Amino acid sequence: MSSGGAGGGGMTDADSSLYPIAVLIDELKNDDIALRLNSIKRLGTIALALGEVRTRSELVPFLAECTDDEDEVLLAMAEELGNLITHVGGPSQCFCLLAPLETLAVTEETVVRDAAAASLKKVAAAMDAQSIQAHFVPLVTRLATGEWFTCRVSAAGLFAAAFQHLGSAADASQRSVLQEAFQRLAKDETPMVRRAVAQSLASFASAGDAATVETFVMPIFNHLASDDQDSVRLLTVGGAAELAKALSPEKAEETIFPAAAAFAADRSWRVRYVAGPQIAELACLPSSSAADGAAGGAGAAAQERNARHLVAPFVRLLRDGEAEVRAAAAAKVADVCKCVGADAALAEILPCVQELASDSSQHVRAALAPAAVAVAPLLGKQRTVESLLPSLLQLLRDEHPEVRLNVISHLEEVNRVVGVELLSQSLLPAIVELAEDRSWRIRLAILEYVPLLASQLGASFFDRNLNSLCLRWLNDDVCRVRAAATANLKSLAEVFGVEWALTNVVPDVLGLAKSPNYLRRITMLDALESLAPVLGPDATCQHLLPVALNCAKDGVPNVKFRAARALAAMADSQTETVVERSIKPSLVDLGSDGDVDVRYFASQAIAAL
């Protein structure tokens, strides 16, 4: 850019230095929202051009005046301001970003407020202790005492960011101010403010020490746990486990556990829905004996005794009247069983598992299936056979494919405990039904688990019952299923070995070469390409290569160019003599085919040789 010129046509150096901010001003005044949005997203580049001093003195104050715009633009501004920390001078100067972010934190649009709060936390994390005390704590206090509820909602999430920087005795007065303000918000008349407090309890607890949590956070937790709004209680219970981790094990057992039991009996099903996973997490927390470093066995026993206090409320959730609540708790059955020990699990939780296996809701049964399977290693063979296996077999016979699939996909754990012999009678019919399900996605899903089942069942059982099923998938009407079936054959060959594949798979696959349906011949070529790396050069040359060479002369162009790809793949394992005498001449012939696609794939194959 010229610094001057005849007739005043150029721009002076002074004008040039104002260029980035001038352009931004013009663009933000433009009626085109896309242009304004693009300008905001280039704030980092503009700040870099301006330098730290001018960014602090010109750009940031200008942005603080531009907070009356479309929500989409304000959202981008809230996000970008948090990325300007280094551009304004780093930790000692980034407090200048607080002003525009404070304005954005009180807007009516929730996503804008959330983005502004996230950027405020980012700025606070970069600020030094002096700036926190001088600028950030007053900002939080102003927001917490603001007239509009939006101010107070944003403030609730910022207390932890301010509190964790005030650890010295000199900061005691400011810590006290923050605590009092936070307590007022917990009793705010607006439910949305109390929800924000409940949501930030865990982060506030992590910012303080155990004494602060016990004397300050827990009274707020207990107050919100009895709030008349179920949305407040819902968020309160959601942080129970994190809050317990900030307490000593004794205090957690004394305060959080009774609250969790109360949540399990809450009048709102939404609260009970969240209580199930929280109780499971609380049950797995270390007990006071375990935390004190008790010997392995004694510590584990102490933890089991500790967790058993939560069995009764957990069982209540498993028998809840709402299916959503039962499903959420059922998914955590294995976690709770492992924490309470085999005896308590067998006596109190397994009866619920037996009931849920025939639950009226398929979603409950689907959630239960993988969790019930995971209980087997805890119980051992005899207890699994006597108490758990009947429920698993019932789930395997379930009318809904998702339930059966959830059992089969996690069956390896049961096999390790009881052996496949006890399962095979019910396992096979379930697999056959899934393999022939009307939904191709279900057929595809069970197909993907076949290699895992094969490794568990063994070759003899697989050959008797499932081998024909795998070959049948090659004739499926859905292309995705046929493609997965070819990959499945490769995995099976890797599990059972080359000799097994040559005896049990290859003859039937090669038989598809005579199918009148060209799609079956293409599937056969896909299978040959998948099997070739596993079978090795000799078997490939003897059994697979002649069929692929013959398909290169097929009357359907699609078969011919698929044969070209298969020949190129087989060439990787063959000797130079075989390539030069058999594969390359066939590809050269295809290279002069009348079909343009055949010629293209043939040229690609030749180039790959």
Side-chain angles (χ1 to χ4, degrees):
M1 183 179 293
S2 174
S3 61
M11 182 178 286
T12 66
D13 291 337
D15 292 333
S16 178
S17 67
L18 294 173
Y19 181 71
I21 192 74
V23 171
L24 179 64
I25 292 173
D26 290 341
E27 290 179 347
L28 289 181
K29 291 179 179 178
N30 196 288
D31 292 335
D32 186 355
I33 186 174
L35 181 61
R36 301 200 305 276
L37 186 61
N38 183 60
S39 299
I40 292 297
K41 291 183 177 180
R42 291 189 294 110
L43 283 180
T45 304
I46 294 172
L48 190 63
L50 290 173
E52 295 177 359
V53 175
R54 292 191 61 206
T55 298
R56 291 196 302 269
S57 62
E58 299 177 29
L59 179 60
V60 175
F62 170 72
L63 293 173
E65 298 173 359
C66 296
T67 53
D68 184 18
D69 205 326
E70 299 289 339
D71 291 334
E72 190 176 1
V73 177
L74 297 182
L75 174 62
M77 186 185 299
E79 293 172 342
E80 291 299 322
L81 281 169
N83 298 325
L84 296 182
I85 296 172
T86 57
H87 296 298
V88 297
S92 62
Q93 300 293 333
C94 62
F95 66 86
C96 69
L97 297 170
L98 299 180
L101 286 172
E102 181 177 359
T103 305
L104 293 170
V106 301
T107 57
E108 293 185 8
E109 181 57 45
T110 302
V111 293
V112 178
R113 293 201 311 271
D114 290 344
S119 290
L120 281 169
K121 293 176 186 177
K122 188 184 295 186
V123 173
M127 292 171 69
D128 53 37
Q130 185 177 358
S131 296
I132 286 284
Q133 296 173 34
H135 302 285
F136 193 74
V137 172
L139 177 147
V140 175
T141 306
R142 284 195 303 273
L143 290 175
T145 55
E147 180 180 357
W148 296 100
F149 80 91
T150 54
C151 307
R152 305 193 295 277
V153 168
S154 295
L158 300 176
F159 275 89
F163 200 81
Q164 64 185 357
H165 290 281
L166 303 175
S168 65
D171 302 328
S173 60
Q174 285 188 313
R175 290 166 66 92
S176 178
V177 168
L178 289 175
Q179 289 178 349
E180 291 176 4
F182 196 69
Q183 286 173 327
R184 285 196 299 272
L185 292 183
K187 299 175 182 179
D188 196 276
E189 62 181 8
T190 307
M192 284 177 283
V193 177
R194 301 198 301 275
R195 286 204 298 267
V197 173
Q199 201 165 16
S200 61
L201 269 183
S203 59
F204 198 105
S206 63
D209 52 24
T212 301
V213 174
E214 183 180 339
T215 59
F216 170 65
V217 178
M218 284 309 303
I220 297 177
F221 173 83
N222 293 329
H223 173 74
L224 295 176
S226 59
D227 196 276
D228 59 352
Q229 293 283 328
D230 60 354
S231 59
V232 177
R233 300 195 305 278
L234 172 71
L235 293 170
T236 305
V237 66
E242 286 299 317
L243 198 58
K245 294 175 185 177
L247 291 168
S248 65
E250 297 90 341
K251 287 298 178 182
E253 296 167 24
E254 181 183 331
T255 57
I256 300 293
F257 283 21
F263 285 133
D266 195 273
R267 62 183 180 274
S268 169
W269 73 266
R270 292 178 177 85
V271 176
R272 302 196 303 274
Y273 174 83
V274 178
Q278 286 296 308
I279 286 178
E281 192 171 348
L282 286 169
C284 297
L285 291 177
S287 67
S288 56
S289 299
D292 291 338
Q303 183 171 352
E304 289 180 8
R305 289 194 300 272
N306 178 46
R308 286 172 193 168
H309 294 300
L310 297 169
V311 170
F314 186 72
V315 167
R316 180 171 186 154
L317 293 172
L318 290 173
R319 290 173 171 158
D320 195 90
E322 294 290 340
E324 290 85 351
V325 177
R326 297 197 302 276
K332 297 296 181 179
V333 158
D335 295 338
V336 175
C337 285
K338 291 173 184 176
C339 295
V340 302
D343 293 336
L346 191 64
E348 301 186 61
I349 298 179
L350 263 294
C352 297
V353 171
Q354 294 166 1
E355 296 170 10
L356 293 175
S358 56
D359 193 273
S360 59
S361 170
Q362 72 179 80
H363 302 293
V364 174
R365 302 195 303 274
L368 172 70
V373 170
V375 176
L378 171 71
L379 299 179
K381 183 173 182 178
Q382 183 176 351
R383 288 175 166 179
T384 297
V385 172
E386 294 174 354
S387 303
L388 183 63
L389 193 57
S391 299
L392 296 180
L393 295 180
Q394 184 172 352
L395 292 170
L396 275 171
R397 295 190 294 269
D398 197 276
E399 61 179 336
H400 287 277
E402 182 183 1
V403 179
R404 303 195 300 270
L405 192 63
N406 282 355
V407 178
I408 291 173
S409 60
H410 296 81
L411 208 56
E412 185 178 6
E413 295 184 66
V414 180
N415 287 349
R416 286 200 300 263
V417 177
V418 304
V420 74
E421 296 81 5
L422 295 171
L423 292 173
S424 58
Q425 185 176 359
S426 294
L427 177 64
L428 183 60
I431 294 175
V432 172
E433 288 181 27
L434 286 169
E436 298 175 346
D437 193 89
R438 286 178 299 177
S439 170
W440 67 267
R441 289 180 175 83
I442 296 294
R443 299 198 301 274
L444 181 63
I446 189 61
L447 195 159
E448 292 172 346
Y449 288 114
V450 164
L452 175 62
L453 290 170
S455 63
Q456 298 168 4
L457 299 173
S460 59
F461 181 91
F462 189 87
D463 290 342
R464 287 195 310 271
N465 301 290
L466 296 178
N467 190 34
S468 60
L469 190 62
C470 292
L471 295 170
R472 197 184 314 164
W473 274 317
L474 292 172
N475 293 290
D476 197 277
D477 293 334
V478 178
C479 178
R480 284 279 301 277
V481 176
R482 295 197 302 271
T486 62
N488 177 56
L489 294 180
K490 176 183 178 181
S491 300
L492 291 174
E494 291 173 340
V495 171
F496 294 138
V498 174
E499 292 301 324
W500 176 88
L502 290 174
T503 304
N504 297 280
V505 172
V506 171
D508 292 283
V509 171
L510 296 181
L512 293 175
K514 300 178 182 179
S515 173
N517 188 328
Y518 81 95
L519 293 175
R520 303 296 179 263
R521 303 198 296 275
I522 289 177
T523 302
M524 182 269 301
L525 288 167
D526 290 339
L528 298 188
E529 184 176 344
S530 295
L531 287 168
V534 182
L535 298 183
D538 294 338
T540 297
C541 184
Q542 181 179 353
H543 299 283
L544 309 188
L545 184 58
V547 178
L549 291 171
N550 189 53
C551 287
K553 303 174 184 177
D554 198 278
V556 178
N558 295 49
V559 177
K560 286 190 286 188
F561 72 64
R562 191 64 194 81
R565 290 174 53 184
L567 288 171
M570 293 180 189
D572 291 339
S573 63
Q574 298 303 307
T575 63
E576 186 177 351
T577 301
V578 173
V579 172
E580 292 296 329
R581 291 183 179 179
S582 301
I583 297 177
K584 194 170 183 178
S586 179
L587 293 175
V588 170
D589 289 342
L590 291 173
S592 58
D593 192 88
D595 186 270
V596 62
D597 292 324
V598 175
R599 294 198 303 273
Y600 171 78
F601 282 104
S603 65
Q604 293 290 102
I606 292 173
L609 292 180

